[in-house]
């Protein structure tokens, strides 16, 4: 993620990303929804941070695998699906109209967005 963020315009390792009630502090490696901390594994946090970097943007499976895992990942991409499902469970535990959702884009990848297109 740090490499991707550098390519996007500088080393932003201390960014705080906000999408609705979701707040991702990349420097502290903390994610909260409406002030309640999400207990995430390392890759789950990295995946959520990558999605929150570009909310509303369709990110391909290849981009996510490269940015969150490694460009030379040799395992199955099924690991992405498993991690997305885990992050969805964490987000679903915090009910509310401003809790972002991860939308599956069949044949492409995923997108982080708020229900009803709210920002």
């Amino acid at each position: 993620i740090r490499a991707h963020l550098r390519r996007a315009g500088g080393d932003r390792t201390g960014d705080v990303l906000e999408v609705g009630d979701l707040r991702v502090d990349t420097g502290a490696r903390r994610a909260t929804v409406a002030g309640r901390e999400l207990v995430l594994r390392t890759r789950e946090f990295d995946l959520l941070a990558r999605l929150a970097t570009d909310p509303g943007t369709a990110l391909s499976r290849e981009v996510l695998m490269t940015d969150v895992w490694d460009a030379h990942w040799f395992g199955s991409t099924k690991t992405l699906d498993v991690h997305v499902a885990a992050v969805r469970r964490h987000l679903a535990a915090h009910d509310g109209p401003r809790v972002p959702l991860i939308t599956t884009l069949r044949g492409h990848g995923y997108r982080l967005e708020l229900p009803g297109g709210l920002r």
Side-chain angles (χ1 to χ4, degrees):
I1 288 179
R2 283 189 291 274
H4 175 74
L5 292 174
R6 279 193 304 274
R7 285 192 301 269
D11 186 8
R12 304 179 331 191
T13 57
D15 273 358
V16 175
L17 309 166
E18 293 189 25
V19 181
D21 286 344
L22 172 67
R23 186 173 193 267
V24 180
D25 183 339
T26 59
R29 293 192 61 82
R30 286 192 153 168
T32 59
V33 173
R36 294 175 46 205
E37 189 162 359
L38 300 175
V39 180
L40 301 170
R41 294 183 174 141
T42 301
R43 294 282 189 212
E44 292 170 354
F45 178 86
D46 293 343
L47 176 60
L48 183 59
R50 179 61 187 96
L51 289 166
T53 299
D54 292 312
T57 301
L59 298 172
S60 70
R61 296 175 64 80
E62 293 78 22
V63 165
L64 291 171
M65 289 301 297
T66 298
D67 292 350
V68 177
W69 278 265
D70 188 318
H72 305 291
W73 174 258
F74 292 110
S76 167
T77 61
K78 187 68 175 167
T79 192
L80 175 61
D81 303 326
V82 171
H83 283 78
V84 166
V87 173
R88 281 180 171 149
R89 279 192 302 274
H90 287 290
L91 292 174
H94 302 276
D95 195 23
R98 295 187 44 81
V99 177
L101 303 172
I102 300 174
T103 301
T104 300
L105 305 169
R106 294 213 182 268
H108 184 72
Y110 298 95
R111 177 176 56 228
L112 181 71
E113 59 191 342
L114 286 176
L118 301 172
R119 283 275 178 229

